[in-house]
Structures are given as C-alpha cells and as structure tokens.
C-alpha cells in the first residue's frame, strides 16, 4: 500500500467521499469542523473546491488522485483484496 494524496472535489450537491467515515458526506462547516480538521488524513481544502486527504490506498492509482464522483469513490473503496494462504496437507 502506498500513501496517496486524494483531491476530493465537491459534486453538484456539495458532497465528497470521506475515508474516515467511509461514506459520502456533505462538505459543510460541520463536516470540516467535526471531522476533517481533527483527522490525521486531512491535507487541505482543495482551494475551497473540496477536501484533500492523504491515506494508504490499496488500489493501483496515481498520486495525486483527483476525485470528482464521491459515489464511485465510495464503491471502489468497498472492495478489499484478500490474500489466500496455501496450506500443505498434514502427513
């Protein structure tokens, strides 16, 4: 996993994907004050257009990563890779 700088631009309803809360949220003063400002992933306000976050991302994506569709970002982050271990038969 690598640290990725996510630039989450608000959609037409003023929403962004929040990794901390793992959901699409309205990016309003309450979100910024109650969640973003105290979050260790918070990296800025994207010039007033959204929110920037830096976190370890399992996906093979570039950094920075521009996100304009928070619903799609939520769906993509629900897929987790599972490593299977091969077990040798007992003798």
């Amino acid at each position: 996993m690598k640290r990725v700088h996510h630039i989450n631009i608000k959609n037409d309803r003023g929403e962004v994907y929040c990794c901390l809360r793992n959901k699409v949220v309205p990016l309003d003063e309450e979100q910024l004050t109650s969640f973003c400002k105290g979050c260790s992933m918070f990296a800025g306000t994207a010039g007033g257009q959204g929110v920037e976050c830096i976190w370890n991302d399992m996906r093979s994506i570039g950094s920075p990563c521009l996100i304009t569709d928070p619903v799609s970002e939520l769906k993509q982050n629900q897929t987790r890779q599972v490593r299977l271990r091969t077990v040798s038969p007992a003798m």
Side-chain angles (χ1 to χ4, degrees), residues 3 8 28 37 44 49 54-56 58 67 79-80 89:
R3 291 182 57 77
N8 300 285
D28 54 17
K37 298 281 169 99
Q49 299 299 309
I54 299 175
W55 45 274
N56 293 331
M58 298 175 64
I67 296 138
T79 304
R80 300 287 182 238

Side-chain angles (χ1 to χ4, degrees), residues 5 13 15 19 22 24 32 35 40 50 55 72 79-80 82 84 87:
H5 182 177
R13 293 191 311 260
E15 301 168 325
C19 180
N22 193 35
V24 175
L32 284 167
F35 297 97
S40 64
W55 45 274
S72 176
T79 304
R80 300 287 182 238
V82 177
L84 298 177
V87 178

Side-chain angles (χ1 to χ4, degrees), residues 6-8 16-17 27 32 36 42 44-46 49-53:
H6 300 82
I7 303 171
N8 300 285
V16 295
Y17 169 70
L27 186 60
L32 284 167
C36 298
F42 180 69
T45 59
Q49 299 299 309
V51 66
E52 298 177 52
C53 309

Side-chain angles (χ1 to χ4, degrees), residues 12-88:
D12 58 351
R13 293 191 311 260
E15 301 168 325
V16 295
Y17 169 70
C18 176
C19 180
L20 176 69
R21 299 173 71 190
N22 193 35
K23 64 182 187 176
V24 175
V25 298
L27 186 60
D28 54 17
E29 194 57 40
E30 180 182 355
Q31 171 69 22
L32 284 167
T33 303
S34 300
F35 297 97
C36 298
K37 298 281 169 99
C39 179
S40 64
M41 296 178 276
F42 180 69
T45 59
Q49 299 299 309
V51 66
E52 298 177 52
C53 309
I54 299 175
W55 45 274
N56 293 331
D57 201 317
M58 298 175 64
R59 300 172 295 170
S60 179
I61 59 175
S63 183
C65 175
L66 182 65
I67 296 138
T68 58
D69 182 348
V71 174
S72 176
E73 183 69 1
L74 171 66
K75 289 177 184 176
Q76 289 179 36
N77 278 288
Q78 301 316 298
T79 304
R80 300 287 182 238
Q81 294 177 348
V82 177
R83 290 186 186 159
L84 298 177
R85 227 174 37 152
T86 304
V87 178
S88 300

